[in-house]
């Protein structure tokens, strides 16, 4: 079984601030760094660090070689990535004293994915393989259609949520990994249990993991609901916490079939990630997560 992560590749320009800037306000930054990021890249690296074989598909621009190197250093297969002229995807991230962030995205080459490239990528995969998707690239409806045609298992992290995504045909999705806000947007509900029920009614064949911030996470599927606490951590940067959780959960769940173990492992991995600066750079190795687990 192969795992394809078809997603974004960004250069993250991270500004450290005391507090997130308000409308009309000008503030000084305490520092600035450039990191490799994008939800797609982060999740590919999390999958690989958790021990899964993963191929990344997406597009980089003229300034994207650092992104390729970063994926390769994490043992992600990069031979399917498309190289295009023009600027790469990028974002501006503010991180405050509490570790909370505010993000502005520029799509760049992430928004130049077309059907011909999608066809080329999916020619390398077959029935039973997994594809992990987010919502930071173009051509998502066609990617969903193509994955269904190939009879692949489709895992969707519907982030960032958009009006287009809310009206998209998501019947091909086998597994949703999403937070309370995204779940609320898809179902119109605010209570976590009602969100899970709403998703089950709309997508009866899909399983779901709903993340609840400090209240932990829960898995719903196969006739059961499993709840997982959040592990306390001194957060300095939460940018890649969700992506770390996603990659670790998928890698462990589809290897073991044990949702409870996968939830616990993913929660511990994300707790480590928030204690480190940057996006991809904050994602721990599985050996670190297992050592951290043993010490708690």
């Amino acid at each position: 079984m192969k795992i394809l992560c078809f997603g974004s590749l960004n250069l993250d320009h991270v500004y450290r601030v005391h507090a997130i800037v308000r409308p009309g306000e000008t503030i000084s930054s305490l520092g600035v760094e450039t990191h490799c990021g994008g939800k797609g890249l982060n999740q590919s690296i999390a999958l690989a660090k958790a021990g899964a074989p993963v191929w990344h598909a997406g597009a980089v621009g003229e300034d994207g070689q650092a992104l390729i190197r970063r994926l390769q250093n994490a043992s992600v297969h990069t031979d399917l990535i498309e190289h295009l002229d023009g600027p790469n995807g990028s974002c501006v991230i503010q991180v405050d004293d509490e570790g909370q962030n505010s993000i502005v995205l520029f799509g760049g080459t992430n928004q130049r994915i077309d059907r011909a490239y999608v066809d080329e990528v999916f020619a390398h995969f077959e029935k039973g393989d997994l594809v992990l998707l987010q919502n930071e690239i173009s051509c998502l409806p066609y990617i969903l259609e193509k994955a269904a045609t190939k009879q692949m298992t489709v895992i969707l992290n519907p982030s960032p949520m958009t009006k287009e995504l809310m009206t998209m045909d998501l019947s091909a999705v086998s597994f949703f990994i999403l937070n309370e806000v995204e779940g609320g947007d898809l179902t119109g509900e605010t209570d976590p249990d009602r969100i899970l029920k709403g998703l089950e009614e709309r997508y009866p064949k899909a399983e779901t993991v709903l993340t609840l911030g400090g209240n932990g996470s829960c898995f719903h599927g196969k006739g059961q609901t499993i709840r997982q606490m959040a592990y306390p951590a001194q957060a300095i940067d939460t940018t890649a916490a969700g992506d770390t959780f996603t990659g670790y959960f998928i890698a462990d769940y589809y290897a073991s079939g044990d949702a409870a173990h996968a939830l616990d492992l993913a929660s511990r991995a994300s707790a480590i990630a928030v204690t480190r600066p940057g996006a991809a750079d904050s994602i721990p190795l599985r050996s670190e997560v297992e050592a951290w687990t043993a010490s708690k």
Side-chain angles (χ1 to χ4, degrees), residues 19 22 49 65 120 124 162 266 278 283 286:
R22 297 171 296 180
K49 287 190 171 184
Q65 287 306 310
E120 179 183 334
H124 298 272
T162 60
I283 301 170
R286 187 169 185 131

Side-chain angles (χ1 to χ4, degrees), residues 94-128:
Q94 298 177 64
V95 181
D96 68 14
D97 288 343
E98 304 300 319
Q100 297 302 309
N101 62 68
S102 176
I103 302 173
V104 178
L105 284 170
F106 169 68
T109 49
N110 293 316
Q111 294 301 316
R112 293 170 59 193
I113 304 295
D114 60 21
R115 290 188 173 213
Y117 172 60
V118 172
D119 290 341
E120 179 183 334
V121 168
F122 276 94
H124 298 272
F125 298 88
E126 58 189 24
K127 179 180 178 180

Side-chain angles (χ1 to χ4, degrees), residues 19-289:
I20 303 299
V21 66
R22 297 171 296 180
E25 182 182 28
T26 300
I27 61 174
S28 296
S29 171
L30 305 174
V32 61
E33 297 177 343
T34 298
H35 299 280
C36 296
K39 296 191 72 65
L41 178 141
N42 295 340
Q43 291 178 15
S44 278
I45 289 176
L47 281 161
K49 287 190 171 184
V54 55
W55 281 255
H56 192 94
V60 295
E62 297 163 350
D63 51 351
Q65 287 306 310
L67 298 167
I68 302 292
R69 289 193 298 270
R70 188 67 186 83
L71 287 167
Q72 291 172 341
N73 288 342
S75 299
V76 176
H77 298 278
T78 61
D79 48 300
L80 299 178
I81 293 175
E82 186 176 32
H83 296 255
L84 300 173
D85 294 333
N88 205 85
S90 63
C91 66
V92 173
I93 303 175
Q94 298 177 64
V95 181
D96 68 14
D97 288 343
E98 304 300 319
Q100 297 302 309
N101 62 68
S102 176
I103 302 173
V104 178
L105 284 170
F106 169 68
T109 49
N110 293 316
Q111 294 301 316
R112 293 170 59 193
I113 304 295
D114 60 21
R115 290 188 173 213
Y117 172 60
V118 172
D119 290 341
E120 179 183 334
V121 168
F122 276 94
H124 298 272
F125 298 88
E126 58 189 24
K127 179 180 178 180
D129 289 338
L130 307 182
V131 57
L132 171 60
L133 304 170
Q134 315 82 30
N135 193 33
E136 289 184 345
I137 60 174
S138 58
C139 219
L140 184 59
Y142 185 67
I143 295 172
L144 286 165
E145 177 186 329
K146 193 73 177 180
T149 300
K150 299 282 289 191
Q151 299 183 60
M152 295 175 68
T153 297
V154 180
I155 305 163
L156 177 64
N157 173 216
S159 178
M161 185 61 69
T162 60
K163 291 181 180 178
E164 291 76 15
L165 183 59
M166 290 173 63
T167 59
M168 203 176 293
D169 180 5
L170 302 180
S171 59
V173 177
S174 302
F175 206 112
F176 290 93
I177 299 184
L178 70 176
N179 62 30
E180 285 179 276
V181 174
E182 294 152 359
D185 287 339
L186 286 177
T187 64
E189 303 289 350
T190 55
D191 176 75
D193 289 333
R194 292 185 67 84
I195 290 172
L196 291 172
K197 180 176 175 60
L199 287 169
E200 183 179 37
E201 290 172 349
R202 287 164 175 78
Y203 311 104
K205 297 180 181 179
E207 298 173 298
T208 299
V209 163
L210 184 66
T211 58
L212 306 169
N215 292 319
S217 57
C218 55
F219 165 88
H220 185 72
K222 297 181 178 177
Q224 62 179 336
T225 299
I226 301 171
R227 303 184 188 278
Q228 169 66 43
M229 69 176 183
Y231 288 96
Q234 186 62 48
I236 64 170
D237 188 347
T238 61
T239 304
D243 296 331
T244 300
F245 182 100
T246 296
Y248 263 84
F249 178 85
I250 292 168
D252 194 69
Y253 180 59
Y254 282 97
S256 70
D258 186 340
H261 185 272
L263 280 177
D264 186 71
L265 187 75
S267 298
R268 294 174 187 273
S270 59
I272 295 172
V274 301
T275 66
R276 301 171 174 178
D281 293 339
S282 72
I283 301 170
L285 292 166
R286 187 169 185 131
S287 58
E288 295 178 277
V289 178

